[in-house]
Each structure stands twice: as C-alpha cells, then as structure tokens.
Amino acid sequence: MKYRLLALITFLFPLLSSAQEKGLDEKVNDAFMPFASWWEGFVLTPISIAGYNLPIVLILLIIGATFFTITFKFPNITKFGLAINTVRGKYDELDHHSVEKTELSAPDGDLPGTIKDESKEGEVSHFQALATAVSGTVGLGNIAGVAVAIALGGPGATFWMIVCGLIGMSTKFVECTLGVKYRDVGPDGTVYGGPMYYLSKGLKERGMKGLGKVLAVIFAILCVGASFGGGNAFQSNQAAVQLSTMLSLEGGATGVIIGIILAILVGIVIIGGIKKIASVTEKIVPFMAGVYVLASLIIIFANFEYIGDAFGMIIGGAFTPAAGLGGIVGVIIVGFQRAAFSNEAGAGSAAIAHSAVKTKYPASEGVVALLEPFIDTVVICTMTALVIIFFNMDVGAFDYGNAVGSTVLLNESGAYVGGVDLTSMAYDSVIPGFRYVLTIAIILFAFSTMISWSYYGLQSWKYLFGRGKTADIVYKVMFLLFVVIGAAATLDAVIKFSDAMILALVFPNMIGLLFLFPRVREEMDKYLTDIKNFVKSK
C-alpha cells in the first residue's frame, strides 16, 4: 500500500507546474463560495435585542449551557475529580462486576424482546471514547480557529472562548449521558447512538413521538453536513495550507492534489469502523496534544514576565474591545462562535462517539465527556491565544481589529494572513523551525478529526438510510470527496460553511436536551449511589 501511495504522489505533484493561471483550486472555490455564504447567513440569522443583532443559535447555546450548569450545581467544577477517576479506570470494577439485564426498546430497527447485558455492551473503553471524541474536537479549531477569533475579535475574544468552554462542560455532560442511555446495540454488538436516538426514543417516552422523530431526522441530516464541513473540509483546508506554505508549493491544483492524498489516507482508516478509529485516535491524540502543549508551555514560560499583561489584554478586551470590532457584543459573538466550533458542546456530535463506550452507567460517560471542553477550549485554545498575543507584543505583527474576512494585515510585509499561517508564524518566532513540527501536528490534528467525524456522519447516515453496506460506501465516498473540496477552497469559504454546519446542530439537539435533562439527573443519582455502595464494600 505504501509503495502505491508513493507512486501516486510522484505522479500527481508534477501536475502542479502545468496548472493554468486560474487553476482547479480556484474553480472549486468559485463553485463552493456562494453556497457557503448563503448557508452561513441562514444559520446565523439574528434577532434584535436592545439594539444588538444576536444570532439565534448562539442565544440558544448560551442559555442552554448556563441552565445546565446551574441546574446540575456546576458539574464542571463539582464533578471534575469524579471525571478524572472514571476515565483512569478507578470504578471499572463497579461497571463490570455485575450484570443488569433489561428489555431492548423496539423503535428504529431494534429487535423487540431481546435481552441485553448492559455491563458488556459497547465497543470501546472510557479512555478510547474520550480520545475519539477529543480527536473530533481538539483539532485545527484550536490552532487556526483561535487565530481567526483574535483576528476578528482581538484578545478579548479569548475570554469569551474560555467562558463558553467552562459552561459547555455542563452541556457535554448532559448530551453524552443521554447518548449512552438511549443507544441501540445491534445483534452483532455494534453500537448505534447519538442525538438521533435520544431525540426519537427519549421524546417518545415524554409523549412527544412526532416531535422527537422530526428533530432526530433534522439532526441526522445536519450532522452529515457537519461531517463534510467542520469535521472534514476545514481540517483538510488548513492542512493543505500549512503543507503548501512549508514546502513552497505553488500551482493551480496544489490543494486538489494534497486533498486527494489526504483522502486516500483517511479512507484507509475509516473502512475499519469505530474500533479501528478508536485504536488510532488513542495513540495520535495524546501524542499530538502533548507536542503542541509542550511547545506552547515553552513559549509561555519564555514570556512569563508578560503573562500578566497578556491576561490583562484578554480580560480588558473582553469588556472594552478595540475600535472597529463591533463593540462588546461583537467580541462575545466571535468568542462563543469560535469556542462552539472548537469544542462542539451543544452540537451533540461527541455523544455519538461516547455512545460506543463499554458501560452500564450512562452518567459515567457523561462525567468523562465534560473533560472535553476543558481540555479543548480552557487549556489548549488559551495556550494558543497566549502565544499569538505574545507574538504580537514582541514584534507588533498586526493591528487587532484590522481584519479582512478571517485574515489580518501584517504591518511589515503588507500581506494578509490568517488561520494556521498566523499561528505558525507566532510559534516559529520563538522556536525557530517549529513550523515543521507544527506542520506534522496540524496534519495529525486534521487526520484524527476527520476520521472521528467520519464516524459521526456515518452514524447519522445510517439512521437516515439504513445500516447496509451500500449506504456505508455511498457516505464514505461523499466524505472523501469533501476532503478534496476543502483542500482546494479558500479558508473564508470553508469556515463559513463549516461554522454554520456545526452551529446548525444546536437547534434540534438543544431543544431535545431541555426536554430530557431530568433523565440525566436520574442516571447521575444512580451512578453516585452505586459508587458510594461500591466504596463501602471495598
């Protein structure tokens, strides 16, 4: 296989030099941009409140996350230790030492009357489920997305990203608990879970079968689109940008060629299903996150004397933003929008991966899941933001708020850069040559996110079109096609489409969560009671 891949690369790259002035990349982008712009405008439809135009989806996201944080008594703080203990396996014996048998529910293709063993069902461990879900969230949103946030909203956008991450931990706890509670398990042990199932089955329990079915179908359709956008096209786009910049590749088909290569590599992994994906992500995610965090810490400690000034800019900019940023509400919108894209809390996507965990306690996976936004947004996004802020403090590379699209104007060269290029410049300014390491990290980030999101999209596709092999193949071919489209299009077009697709998931998902959260309380009480009894018996 590797020799065939090398042969393909050798054959394809010479095509770059023969590309026309308006090459294939630009043609793909021209075709893609109008739809991306329309879809972004539709999903981010605003309403006017006190003279401010606020996107409805962000209002729903913020209200829901705040409500869950208060209702469950700040689980992002009070359940943090429990989450650590659960993911490291402290309560695994509790989870597997007894067998609880219950009737399988019959809707959506289940086999009525079948008995399931809740202590054995599932396909992956707590850590693997977390790694798979984190690989779907800890990606280029943390590298390129933070740069976009600072370009558009200044340092103050970082503050609101952190706030969104903290309250998003509560939302993630709710949706992932429900994901395990209402999952389906096929005759062969394959798990089918996610918002599609808790919307349809959970709302049916509440006497709202019709609403549940409609919301489930809407979510599944949008999740397929999100897997093509934020979970795919954005990742391949930024990987292609970094590769072409580092290798000085030019030509009208550069993005297409890189996209084809990425699509082949992704295709090799996603054929194996969730077990294969989990086995890959549990190795890639800790490694790439470790490298990135280590480099960030080196730069942060090298600039430690300025850390107070940096946080002063972050906090000050959150409430007194620089001119031209649209005021404080504009900065809040940018911060929450970028955080929502990065950690996906409220979108429901991670519940699909967490549903595959081996457990009989849905709440056990809910508490594990609340670690995601903390790792993703509170830790990694903040580190990225500090590095970019230090970079600008040191060399005055650009002016905050002087953004065009998703890029900023460099004061020295007069060039516009954004996304991963800006982040790469910031890291390279302190650790010369780090752009090569960052390129590898970016490719791994993009790769792991794409394979995780391929699973999310496939589960949604199966919910819509059945669980046959033909449906699988059709989806995977379409997914791989968007790898190529994303690599060829511009960042502005891709981020419009990707943002809107991820955020659109909030509408059906959050409505369901607000109806079903009492079930989460029941499951949490059950888990905590059994832990107490288990500890007493030891």
Side-chain angles (χ1 to χ4, degrees):
M1 176 62 72
K2 66 179 181 180
Y3 297 111
R4 294 177 183 176
L5 182 59
L6 288 172
L8 179 65
I9 295 172
T10 303
F11 170 75
L12 290 174
F13 268 105
L15 296 177
L16 298 176
S17 59
S18 62
Q20 300 297 318
E21 182 177 346
K22 185 167 183 175
L24 186 56
D25 288 0
E26 194 171 348
K27 292 178 181 178
V28 171
N29 186 70
D30 288 348
F32 186 58
M33 177 63 97
F35 174 73
S37 298
W38 171 82
W39 180 242
E40 181 193 45
F42 177 74
V43 172
L44 296 180
T45 299
I47 59 173
S48 181
I49 299 177
Y52 294 105
N53 290 323
L54 304 176
I56 298 172
V57 65
L58 290 181
I59 295 173
L60 183 61
L61 187 73
I62 295 168
I63 290 175
T66 304
F67 173 77
F68 296 137
T69 299
I70 296 171
T71 297
F72 289 98
K73 301 177 181 178
F74 295 88
N76 48 358
I77 299 172
T78 60
K79 300 298 184 292
F80 196 88
L82 177 62
I84 297 294
N85 286 333
T86 303
V87 79
R88 71 184 182 87
K90 183 176 180 178
Y91 305 117
D92 280 358
E93 188 179 348
L94 166 67
D95 218 6
H96 301 296
H97 82 289
S98 64
V99 174
E100 177 182 329
K101 295 191 175 185
T102 59
E103 290 285 329
L104 263 176
S105 54
D108 304 315
D110 283 346
L111 301 176
T114 307
I115 300 297
K116 65 178 180 179
D117 178 347
E118 289 191 348
S119 67
K120 294 182 179 178
E121 70 180 33
E123 300 182 79
V124 296
S125 68
H126 282 299
F127 179 76
Q128 287 179 320
L130 179 65
T132 300
V134 167
S135 71
T137 57
V138 177
L140 295 184
N142 306 84
I143 301 176
V146 174
V148 171
I150 292 176
L152 295 175
T158 307
F159 177 88
W160 297 111
M161 288 185 70
I162 295 171
V163 171
C164 183
L166 288 172
I167 63 175
M169 293 168 70
S170 305
T171 306
K172 191 82 76 163
F173 159 69
V174 172
E175 60 193 11
C176 292
T177 298
L178 292 172
V180 177
K181 179 173 176 60
Y182 291 106
R183 64 186 176 183
D184 281 349
V185 181
D188 62 349
T190 301
V191 174
Y192 303 93
M196 307 83 70
Y197 295 92
Y198 62 69
L199 288 171
S200 59
K201 297 165 73 173
L203 291 178
K204 181 182 179 182
E205 285 184 358
R206 300 292 302 270
M208 295 177 280
K209 180 179 179 180
L211 176 63
K213 195 68 176 178
V214 169
L215 291 177
V217 170
I218 291 173
F219 179 89
I221 293 171
L222 293 174
C223 190
V224 170
S227 74
F228 293 155
N232 183 347
F234 178 76
Q235 312 300 322
S236 63
N237 175 273
Q238 291 295 276
V241 167
Q242 183 68 5
L243 270 175
S244 58
T245 299
M246 188 190 76
L247 300 176
S248 300
L249 297 173
E250 296 180 359
T254 302
V256 171
I257 304 304
I258 293 174
I260 290 173
I261 295 170
L262 285 173
I264 292 171
L265 295 174
V266 171
I268 292 171
V269 176
I270 68 176
I271 290 172
I274 184 60
K275 291 183 179 179
K276 179 67 173 178
I277 291 171
S279 68
V280 172
T281 56
E282 73 173 341
K283 298 177 180 66
I284 290 179
V285 173
F287 170 74
M288 67 184 182
V291 170
Y292 190 72
V293 167
L294 179 61
S296 301
L297 288 174
I298 290 172
I299 296 174
I300 290 169
F301 281 112
N303 292 272
F304 196 75
E305 60 184 304
Y306 303 114
I307 198 164
D309 294 334
F311 274 109
M313 294 173 67
I314 289 172
I315 296 172
F319 300 99
T320 55
L325 298 180
I328 183 173
V329 174
V331 179
I332 293 173
I333 290 173
V334 169
F336 271 82
Q337 189 171 329
R338 295 268 49 83
F341 179 80
S342 181
N343 63 47
E344 298 160 21
S349 51
I352 300 173
H354 286 283
S355 297
V357 72
K358 295 176 182 177
T359 185
K360 67 172 184 171
Y361 292 101
S364 71
E365 195 59 23
V367 296
V368 167
L370 66 79
L371 294 172
E372 281 177 52
F374 181 81
I375 296 169
D376 176 274
T377 307
V378 179
V379 176
I380 299 181
C381 284
T382 302
M383 286 183 171
T384 303
L386 286 172
V387 171
I388 294 174
I389 292 169
F390 287 145
F391 170 58
N392 209 33
M393 289 170 66
D394 289 340
V395 301
F398 60 92
D399 296 323
Y400 296 117
N402 189 17
V404 176
S406 301
T407 62
V408 292
L409 177 66
L410 295 180
N411 294 326
E412 183 176 344
S413 65
Y416 285 94
V417 299
V420 71
D421 280 342
L422 181 58
T423 307
S424 181
M425 290 174 62
Y427 277 82
D428 212 51
S429 67
V430 180
I431 309 176
F434 187 73
R435 64 182 181 275
Y436 299 108
V437 178
L438 187 62
T439 298
I440 296 172
I442 286 168
I443 294 171
L444 291 177
F445 270 120
F447 184 69
S448 66
T449 301
M450 285 190 285
I451 63 177
S452 294
W453 263 97
S454 72
Y455 177 70
Y456 300 168
L458 180 59
Q459 289 288 77
S460 300
W461 186 269
K462 286 180 176 180
Y463 182 85
L464 294 169
F465 300 107
R467 300 170 182 173
K469 291 184 178 180
T470 301
D472 281 20
I473 293 173
V474 171
Y475 170 79
K476 289 173 181 176
V477 169
M478 293 176 64
F479 184 86
L480 296 176
L481 177 62
F482 269 84
V483 176
V484 180
I485 292 174
T490 63
L491 172 61
D492 212 29
V494 169
I495 208 164
K496 286 177 183 291
F497 177 74
S498 300
D499 259 5
M501 274 299 181
I502 297 289
L503 289 171
L505 296 173
V506 173
F507 286 110
N509 184 57
M510 191 61 76
I511 292 171
L513 297 183
L514 290 171
F515 278 115
L516 297 173
F517 76 89
R519 297 289 186 265
V520 177
R521 181 180 287 111
E522 294 169 4
E523 292 297 333
M524 192 67 209
D525 289 344
K526 177 183 176 183
Y527 185 48
L528 292 177
T529 298
D530 284 5
I531 286 177
K532 289 178 182 177
N533 294 333
F534 174 70
V535 172
K536 287 180 181 178
S537 67
K538 296 297 287 183

